[in-house]
Amino acid sequence: MRAAADPEPSTRLESPAVQGRDQLIAALQAQASRPVQRLGETLVNLGLITPDQLSSALALQTQDKRWPIGELLVQQGQLTREQLDQAVHLKLGYAQVDARRFPVEPEAWRLAPIATLQRLNMLPLMRHEGELIVAVADPKRQDALDELAWASECRVRPVLADQTQIQERLQAILQGQDTPGLQLHGVAPAGPADRWLAQAEQQTADASAETDAGQAEEGGNGLVQLINHMIIDAWTQGASDIHVETHPGSEQVRIRFRVDGRLQPYLELPHTLRAALVARIKIMCSLDISERRRPQDGKIHFARYSPAHSIELRVVTIPTVQGLEDVVLRLLTAAEPLPLDQLGIHPHQLTRFKQAIERPYGLILCAGPTGSGKSTTLHAALAHLNTAERKIWTAEDPVEITQPGLRQVQINPRIDWTFEKALRAFLRADPDVIMVGEVRDRDTARIAVEAALTGHLVLSTIHTNSAAETVTRLLDMGMDPFNFGDSLLAVMGQRLVRRLCVGCRQGRPATPEELGELLGDHLRAGHPMRLGREDQVLADWHQRLARQGRLMTWQALGCAHCKGTGLRGRVGLHELLVVTREIRSLIQTRQPVAQVQACALDQGMMSLRQDGIEKVLLGLTTLEEVRATSNA
């Protein structure tokens, strides 16, 4: 492409970026007074196209007005997409900033949470005439600018900066390597939240918090913003639950987030706000604010309050002492199902599990405590089975994961629409596969067994501590041992443990003492007859788990990604009990848990502790995490 005449230095695309406050103020003033220029003229002035190329493109545009002039030039190969974007930004008069060197003002930094800045990839630079000046890679992203304006309670004015420079500067500030004196806000709300809190306190100062909660809530715009900010913070931090805990007297209200299975302090509020806080949350999910003696549950569709955040929350209120209430909000992911191969199941167990779910009929259970990933595993199994040849019904409470092709039903105990009644209805609706969210009582368990015996594949969850214990739990619920033994195909027991942060994880060859500790744990968690087979286990580990011929031990020292903890995210531990002829005989003769467990281990089942130890050797988690969540 032949360039046009050399443009003036002030209009070059490569013009030097602003590095100081005074320069930026001058550039912003020039932007405000800059005359409007056509895009074609800007491209010619910048030397990116010639006048002849512009005339040719304009002639084409008169024949087909669907395409803007810039898009036509990109399609013709006269411009790259990056050149067009930069030209548009300069046409609009955006000042360019060197994000690596510009001195960030602490006052500007404190206006927004660091999690929001990282997610939007924005760097606040300074405040000027009531506006927050922020460096962005794409000033045309109005949705992101609106979100930052809401979070900071400031008018936001974008300036142009390189995306990589913004990311590097944010990371440097977060790690304390740059801009001394800046206060990071990774957990507690930032400055605006403090102002909202002050507003809410002022608005409730003259009212009785216990008797006029509704009035205080309706007038408390500061409290409304504080709750919205709390939900967005929980979402950006990857929390699964928000716990609002009220206390009698003048003790403060405590709010905590559950992140990666562990509760973390978030915020403490004055006791004068507790009734208004609970009332506002109840209003958001259409609950009765006057009812404090009984638990209530509902849902919040948060997009109604913040269109930029498509979040759903399940809410439950629990009455506590002295007429107070606690609230727990669970953030529903509404995510797509994960593939079975990405659940972290041991290859041998995964093969056996796929064989079980591909059987035409029978009962398959996922066992574990609340929050151990049982529903995620079942939906991964349903995704594996979800083909045009199968009719799949699910009954769930709530429906958290949706899949095209599944017929999903929301349970509603308020109208007596229970798992048992849904399961009965499914049997009259020509199903091939049925998923029941949870086996909670004898009637549901009995109908699930009957459905499995009459030619349907039934999947469900149950709250038990291990796969073997599931068998005796259902027998204790009154199941007929012969029908139950004939219907049961497999039980998947599982737990979630915290994962080592991949950003700061480091490995080194394991010492003989460390290997001895892992080996002893592994053997004690298996069949007693396998004790003394250390050489066989070590040889198997070296074959499957070694790196360059060495078994490794891993540690994570902490970084910005994991907030210095060394742990980020979670990984599953699994044990799969497949019902064989021998185990079926033990079920039908009501043998104890220990005998069922020993038989399953003898036939190749890997226990939760053993699966966890292998994940320790792979650098996925720590031995302390495995020991804390599984029995030897």
Side-chain angles (χ1 to χ4, degrees):
M1 181 181 69
R2 183 172 57 85
D6 191 35
E8 295 296 325
S10 60
T11 61
R12 286 185 184 273
L13 201 63
E14 301 85 358
S15 57
V18 172
Q19 298 183 14
R21 176 184 173 88
D22 293 340
Q23 288 179 299
L24 181 54
I25 292 175
L28 293 173
Q29 292 172 347
Q31 175 182 340
S33 60
R34 181 169 180 162
V36 177
Q37 190 179 43
R38 294 181 180 274
L39 178 60
E41 296 173 359
T42 303
L43 293 170
V44 172
N45 290 339
L46 291 171
L48 294 174
I49 61 173
T50 66
D52 291 343
Q53 289 169 334
L54 175 60
S55 300
S56 175
L58 289 172
L60 283 175
Q61 192 184 38
T62 58
Q63 301 173 11
D64 186 354
K65 297 184 181 296
R66 293 178 303 168
W67 301 105
I69 189 68
E71 191 65 34
L72 281 173
L73 290 167
V74 171
Q75 292 178 6
Q76 291 176 348
Q78 309 292 349
L79 282 177
T80 65
R81 180 70 59 184
E82 181 182 6
Q83 288 174 327
L84 175 61
D85 289 342
Q86 291 178 343
V88 169
H89 296 155
L90 291 177
K91 165 188 175 292
L92 298 174
Y94 290 112
Q96 296 183 81
V97 170
D98 187 341
R100 295 169 300 185
R101 296 182 175 86
F102 195 96
V104 174
E105 294 184 357
E107 181 187 3
W109 178 262
R110 283 193 288 266
L111 285 172
I114 182 61
T116 301
L117 297 174
Q118 286 181 303
R119 177 165 50 80
L120 299 178
N121 196 36
M122 293 182 172
L123 178 68
L125 302 175
M126 66 182 194
R127 290 194 70 179
H128 178 62
E129 297 181 351
E131 293 181 321
L132 177 63
I133 311 302
V134 58
V136 299
D138 185 1
K140 301 191 302 297
R141 283 190 57 197
Q142 192 60 45
D143 58 336
L145 296 172
D146 289 344
E147 181 177 344
L148 185 62
W150 178 88
S152 62
E153 278 199 337
C154 277
R155 286 179 297 151
V156 173
R157 188 168 183 180
V159 295
L160 189 61
D162 181 74
Q163 179 175 344
T164 303
Q165 291 183 6
I166 296 174
Q167 292 172 343
E168 291 174 351
R169 187 70 181 278
L170 287 171
Q171 188 71 10
I173 295 175
L174 187 61
Q175 294 176 350
Q177 301 170 0
D178 188 14
T179 318
L182 292 186
Q183 180 181 356
L184 298 181
H185 293 273
V187 178
D194 297 329
R195 294 198 300 276
W196 297 331
L197 176 56
Q199 292 174 20
E201 287 188 85
Q202 182 64 36
Q203 289 158 349
T204 55
D206 300 327
S208 168
E210 300 298 334
T211 58
D212 295 325
Q215 296 176 11
E217 187 278 331
E218 289 293 342
N221 182 61
L223 185 62
V224 170
Q225 298 285 6
L226 180 64
I227 293 173
N228 292 348
H229 185 88
M230 173 187 73
I231 292 172
I232 293 173
D233 267 4
W235 178 65
T236 55
Q237 293 180 33
S240 60
D241 301 89
I242 304 170
H243 291 251
V244 179
E245 301 165 348
T246 60
H247 302 277
S250 58
E251 191 172 347
Q252 289 188 316
V253 178
R254 182 168 64 166
I255 299 176
R256 296 190 287 173
F257 291 169
R258 187 177 294 279
V259 181
D260 293 339
R262 299 292 192 275
L263 282 173
Q264 300 178 359
Y266 172 72
L267 183 64
E268 290 188 350
L269 300 176
H271 71 282
T272 54
L273 295 178
R274 63 189 173 208
L277 177 68
V278 173
R280 170 61 188 171
I281 296 174
K282 284 183 175 181
I283 287 173
M284 292 175 76
C285 52
S286 303
L287 299 181
D288 183 358
I289 64 172
S290 65
E291 177 57 71
R292 303 180 185 175
R293 298 169 299 172
R294 294 185 298 178
Q296 301 183 70
D297 60 89
K299 262 190 176 182
I300 295 175
H301 300 280
F302 191 62
R304 293 168 51 192
Y305 307 97
S306 178
H309 299 89
S310 181
I311 309 171
E312 286 195 356
L313 301 98
R314 185 177 66 192
V315 181
V316 59
T317 66
I318 306 292
T320 58
V321 296
Q322 299 185 20
L324 301 178
E325 292 177 281
D326 278 15
V327 183
V328 178
L329 303 90
R330 167 155 290 189
L331 283 78
L332 305 179
T333 58
E336 296 181 353
L338 289 173
L340 269 176
D341 296 338
Q342 294 182 17
L343 294 182
I345 303 175
H346 187 280
H348 175 63
Q349 297 196 91
L350 180 60
T351 300
R352 301 178 78 194
F353 186 60
K354 286 182 177 179
Q355 291 172 350
I357 64 176
E358 288 168 358
R359 298 277 292 274
Y361 58 87
L363 177 63
I364 296 174
L365 298 171
C366 278
T370 301
S372 58
K374 301 185 296 297
S375 296
T376 300
T377 300
L378 285 190
H379 270 280
L382 291 178
H384 182 77
L385 297 172
N386 189 6
T387 63
E389 294 78 23
R390 291 189 177 97
K391 181 64 175 281
I392 303 176
W393 286 99
T394 77
E396 304 169 73
D397 186 21
V399 177
E400 296 186 32
I401 301 174
T402 58
Q403 295 190 50
L406 268 57
R407 311 310 301 149
Q408 297 180 261
V409 171
Q410 170 72 54
I411 295 302
N412 189 352
R414 294 179 182 177
I415 60 172
D416 199 28
W417 178 236
T418 62
F419 284 118
E420 175 199 356
K421 293 190 175 181
L423 192 49
R424 288 185 184 277
F426 292 167
L427 291 177
R428 299 190 295 269
D430 189 28
D432 295 301
V433 180
I434 298 172
M435 194 271 268
V436 183
E438 183 183 346
V439 174
R440 293 180 178 174
D441 51 47
R442 176 182 177 180
D443 291 336
T444 304
R446 180 171 52 81
I447 297 172
V449 169
E450 291 176 1
L453 289 172
T454 54
H456 308 97
L457 183 65
V458 181
L459 292 81
S460 188
T461 70
I462 188 168
H463 289 88
T464 54
N465 293 323
S466 68
E469 193 175 310
T470 303
V471 172
T472 55
R473 172 71 61 85
L474 285 165
L475 291 175
D476 291 341
M477 289 172 66
M479 294 298 95
D480 178 83
F482 289 94
N483 288 340
F484 177 53
D486 287 340
S487 66
L488 188 63
L489 297 178
V491 182
M492 174 73 84
Q494 61 185 77
R495 296 286 191 281
L496 290 178
V497 295
R498 290 186 293 177
R499 182 190 292 267
L500 280 173
C501 175
V502 296
C504 56
R505 182 184 64 181
Q506 298 176 353
R508 60 171 176 80
T511 64
E513 292 77 14
E514 290 168 336
L515 284 179
E517 182 181 7
L518 292 173
L519 190 60
D521 253 16
H522 187 276
L523 293 172
R524 283 192 297 273
H527 194 281
M529 295 300 293
R530 294 183 181 174
L531 291 173
R533 301 184 181 180
E534 292 88 347
D535 293 341
Q536 296 180 15
V537 175
L538 275 176
D540 178 55
W541 283 356
H542 274 283
Q543 180 182 356
R544 295 186 298 108
L545 309 176
R547 297 197 176 191
Q548 298 180 349
R550 302 292 299 273
L551 292 171
M552 307 291 288
T553 185
W554 301 83
Q555 62 178 351
L557 302 178
C559 64
H561 295 288
C562 59
K563 298 180 181 178
T565 64
L567 300 165
R568 188 184 185 199
R570 289 193 285 180
V571 64
L573 308 183
H574 305 87
E575 62 177 12
L576 180 65
L577 186 153
V578 177
V579 178
T580 60
R581 184 177 302 173
E582 293 78 11
I583 291 178
R584 183 172 292 110
S585 176
L586 295 176
I587 295 173
Q588 293 174 344
T589 55
R590 292 180 175 271
Q591 297 303 313
V593 176
Q595 197 165 342
V596 175
Q597 176 89 351
C599 182
L601 290 168
D602 194 42
Q603 294 182 352
M605 183 181 83
M606 176 180 287
S607 69
L608 288 170
R609 176 67 66 89
Q610 291 174 322
D611 187 40
I613 290 171
E614 292 207 357
K615 287 182 168 65
V616 170
L617 289 168
L618 288 170
L620 299 178
T621 187
T622 66
L623 184 58
E624 291 74 21
E625 284 289 311
V626 172
R627 286 174 172 172
T629 54
S630 62
N631 293 323

